[in-house]
Amino acid sequence: MHSTIVAATRASARRTVYARSFHASTPYRKTVTEKVKDAAHDVNLKVGKGLSSAIGAGQEAAESASDTLGTKKTESKQKINEVTAEGKKKAEQATEGAKKAKDDFAGEVKK
């Protein structure tokens, strides 16, 4: 009889070991709130990346415009200086012509 109890205990011990080696868990499911949070997070990231690239493009355009305006400003200053120098030359020529005409007129009046 004693051997029967030991054999039964061993058999039940084996079953317990095998029963514990199998583990089952409930599947994880997201709630509606978690799904909405995830979707909002994804949208936020996409919008942020889009705005970041737009800001970068705006900065590049501003730098390009600044460079272009700087070049145009330099060219304008050069053109103004050229026109001013040419105007001064013509004014001097006109002054000389007026003096010559005055001298000629004065010479003819004395005759």
Side-chain angles (χ1 to χ4, degrees):
M1 185 158 142
H2 182 60
S3 66
T4 310
I5 295 174
V6 171
T9 306
R10 287 183 188 163
S12 65
R14 276 189 236 140
R15 282 188 215 130
T16 306
V17 171
Y18 291 123
R20 289 185 183 168
S21 66
F22 182 73
H23 179 70
S25 64
T26 58
Y28 176 73
R29 292 187 176 94
K30 291 184 178 182
T31 64
V32 174
T33 306
E34 290 172 330
K35 289 179 183 179
V36 169
K37 284 182 181 178
D38 288 345
H41 179 70
D42 292 342
V43 168
N44 186 26
L45 288 177
K46 289 179 183 177
V47 169
K49 288 178 182 178
L51 289 175
S52 174
S53 65
I55 289 172
Q59 286 177 339
E60 288 177 9
E63 288 175 7
S64 175
S66 177
D67 291 344
T68 301
L69 289 176
T71 303
K72 295 295 181 185
K73 186 178 179 181
T74 304
E75 290 174 2
S76 296
K77 283 184 179 179
Q78 289 175 349
K79 187 67 173 176
I80 289 170
N81 289 339
E82 288 174 10
V83 170
T84 303
E86 191 175 320
K88 285 181 182 178
K89 242 186 204 182
K90 289 189 179 189
E92 288 174 3
Q93 288 173 354
T95 304
E96 288 176 16
K99 283 183 184 178
K100 185 176 179 185
K102 179 184 167 187
D103 292 340
D104 289 344
F105 181 72
E108 286 184 23
V109 170
K110 287 185 181 178
K111 287 188 187 181

